[in-house]
Amino acid sequence: SSEVLEAIENVIHDVLKSLAQKKAPVLTLANRSDWRNIEFKDSVGLQMIPHCTTRQIRSDCPKSAPKFALILKILSMIYKMVQSNTYATKRDIYYSDTLLFGSQSVVDNIINDISCMLKIPRRSLHILSTTKGFVAGNLSYTEEDGTKVNCTCSATVFTVPSNVQGIKNLISHAKFMLIVEKDATFQRLLDDDFCTKLSPCIMITGRGIPDLNTRLLVRKLWDTFQIPVFTLMDADPHGVEIMCIYKYGSVSMSFEAQHLTVPSIKWLGLLPSDLERLNIRRDVLIPFTKQDQNKLASIQKRPYIACQPMWKRELEIMAASKLKAEIQALTSLSSDYLSRVYLPNKLQFGGWL
């Protein structure tokens, strides 16, 4: 906490120094969303280069002055929270003055900018993310406040903890971890008792694009148990994008890649090549939209696809067919095909990439 306070004090000191010299204070932020500032490293994923391009948030420019003021406002809130050892969610910060902030995305963006500027992970700033992810299966742990969580006992789901760094006493006999893209598939596998039927496993879903806590938990479980991690996604560009976030990280959070990515993640399904192999009926497949085509084209250009020839091939199959499929397409074969046939065969015979 003293490191966080010192980092904030340094920023304010520079602001005061500029004012004393009768100069307009300026804050320098890294261009987080610029691909030119990102390098791909096999062992980490997408990470920010040390000397990246920056932009200046000036206090004397009508366009950037409001952002300058909001950064100082949120810095002061963080400073008070760290001093008093209290925590707030991003939503708490937004609702503390909705008129001032204007929207939740403004707050989220500024918090990421501050984290990147100070080179301090977001959770050390005493800001908690609102969690939407779920976890189930062969896992028990103790939360920071002493609450014992045991996912092993039943088919109930548990929300991913809001302070992943604080959990301890992690115990699991799981043989693998399965990341499921969607909540509906996750619930279906739970109803089919998938976590215990085949061999003990841990199942996690970020319910779409994963939030920070879900990504942190996947990384923490992988660090702790060193078990294989598989993904089960829709066979569409959106599903591939989500899988890449877990495996390689996102451009906007590349400054924190080493805490968030699991480069050993394997693509278990639904593979575009599976659609033909399993003779999935054409009428349950969905034609590509223009948006799908653009998304797929942008994924194919990314640096990590070049070193994944098997993934590249699958994306080419998808691009050529211009068709996508949800995991639910497997129910056209039989209602429990996913848990009874598809996943057991894949896991037994190594049908992953």
Side-chain angles (χ1 to χ4, degrees):
S1 61
S2 59
E3 186 193 331
V4 181
L5 296 175
E6 193 182 327
I8 296 173
E9 283 160 9
N10 289 341
V11 172
I12 303 304
H13 181 258
D14 289 345
V15 169
L16 293 173
K17 205 159 104 182
S18 298
L19 290 170
Q21 293 168 353
K22 304 233 174 339
K23 288 183 194 160
V26 169
L27 294 170
T28 304
L29 302 178
N31 284 325
R32 286 188 296 115
S33 301
D34 191 335
W35 272 95
R36 288 170 300 183
N37 288 331
I38 310 296
E39 63 178 356
F40 170 64
K41 206 173 168 191
D42 229 359
S43 59
V44 182
L46 300 175
Q47 62 176 10
M48 197 171 260
I49 58 174
H51 305 292
C52 61
T53 61
T54 56
R55 60 201 158 99
Q56 293 197 321
I57 309 294
R58 301 189 62 85
S59 58
D60 60 347
C61 163
K63 205 173 162 198
S64 62
K67 180 158 186 176
F68 182 93
L70 291 180
I71 292 173
L72 291 193
K73 165 78 175 167
I74 292 178
L75 278 172
S76 79
M77 293 171 86
I78 293 168
Y79 195 85
K80 283 178 192 149
M81 289 192 298
V82 174
Q83 269 189 324
S84 60
N85 197 24
T86 53
Y87 288 81
T89 65
K90 295 184 296 181
R91 286 185 76 74
D92 294 336
I93 291 175
Y94 167 60
Y95 282 111
S96 70
D97 199 332
T98 51
L99 279 175
L100 177 69
F101 293 120
S103 76
Q104 182 70 60
S105 62
V106 168
V107 172
D108 297 357
N109 210 7
I110 287 175
I111 288 165
N112 285 342
D113 279 336
I114 287 173
S115 177
C116 185
M117 174 176 74
L118 301 179
K119 294 185 171 52
I120 289 169
R122 195 160 78 190
R123 55 212 163 274
S124 302
L125 302 175
H126 284 229
I127 295 169
L128 303 173
S129 310
T130 328
T131 298
K132 66 185 176 89
F134 290 146
V135 59
N138 195 292
L139 174 69
S140 63
Y141 56 86
T142 308
E143 290 199 5
E144 195 184 29
D145 63 1
T147 308
K148 286 184 168 55
V149 175
N150 188 353
C151 311
T152 313
C153 291
S154 59
T156 42
V157 295
F158 289 86
T159 306
V160 167
S162 58
N163 187 356
V164 174
Q165 296 311 101
I167 67 173
K168 49 190 184 293
N169 307 331
L170 288 95
I171 300 167
S172 176
H173 304 292
K175 297 284 181 277
F176 64 92
M177 201 184 331
L178 182 67
I179 301 170
V180 182
E181 178 186 349
K182 285 182 180 158
D183 191 19
T185 311
F186 181 85
Q187 298 289 352
R188 178 67 213 243
L189 288 172
L190 218 59
D191 294 343
D192 290 349
D193 202 17
F194 177 75
C195 291
T196 53
K197 248 182 199 163
L198 195 62
S199 60
C201 75
I202 299 168
M203 272 202 321
I204 289 182
T205 179
R207 299 163 77 199
I209 294 170
D211 58 80
L212 197 69
N213 292 327
T214 304
R215 291 173 62 191
L216 281 168
L217 183 64
V218 170
R219 175 64 198 230
K220 185 164 186 124
L221 293 175
W222 182 69
D223 280 339
T224 308
F225 302 119
Q226 293 290 311
I227 51 176
V229 186
F230 302 109
T231 59
L232 180 62
M233 307 279 151
D234 287 341
D236 66 11
H238 189 64
V240 174
E241 172 85 282
I242 289 170
M243 174 170 60
C244 291
I245 290 172
Y246 283 108
K247 185 175 173 77
Y248 295 121
S250 58
V251 175
S252 61
M253 292 298 288
S254 58
F255 63 95
E256 257 204 79
Q258 63 273 32
H259 306 296
L260 293 171
T261 59
V262 180
S264 67
I265 280 174
K266 301 281 186 282
W267 186 3
L268 188 68
L270 187 61
L271 303 177
S273 59
D274 289 338
L275 305 178
E276 204 169 301
R277 185 176 62 82
L278 299 170
N279 284 323
I280 302 288
R281 294 199 322 266
R282 294 279 295 195
D283 63 320
V284 296
L285 303 179
I286 308 157
F288 259 28
T289 62
K290 187 80 187 111
Q291 204 180 356
D292 290 325
Q293 279 177 316
N294 294 342
K295 166 74 79 186
L296 183 56
S298 98
I299 293 171
Q300 286 176 302
K301 289 192 195 98
R302 290 184 194 168
Y304 44 70
I305 297 298
C307 61
Q308 287 278 5
M310 306 285 276
W311 283 33
K312 198 171 171 222
R313 176 84 194 101
E314 292 293 332
L315 299 185
E316 283 163 2
I317 292 171
M318 198 190 288
S321 74
K322 291 191 172 56
L323 291 168
K324 56 185 182 176
E326 296 186 325
I327 295 160
Q328 280 73 16
L330 294 174
T331 57
S332 66
L333 299 170
S334 77
S335 61
D336 58 352
Y337 191 85
L338 176 66
S339 59
R340 186 175 55 84
V341 183
Y342 183 82
L343 289 174
N345 282 351
K346 284 254 170 178
L347 291 160
Q348 196 178 344
F349 301 112
W352 57 79
L353 307 178

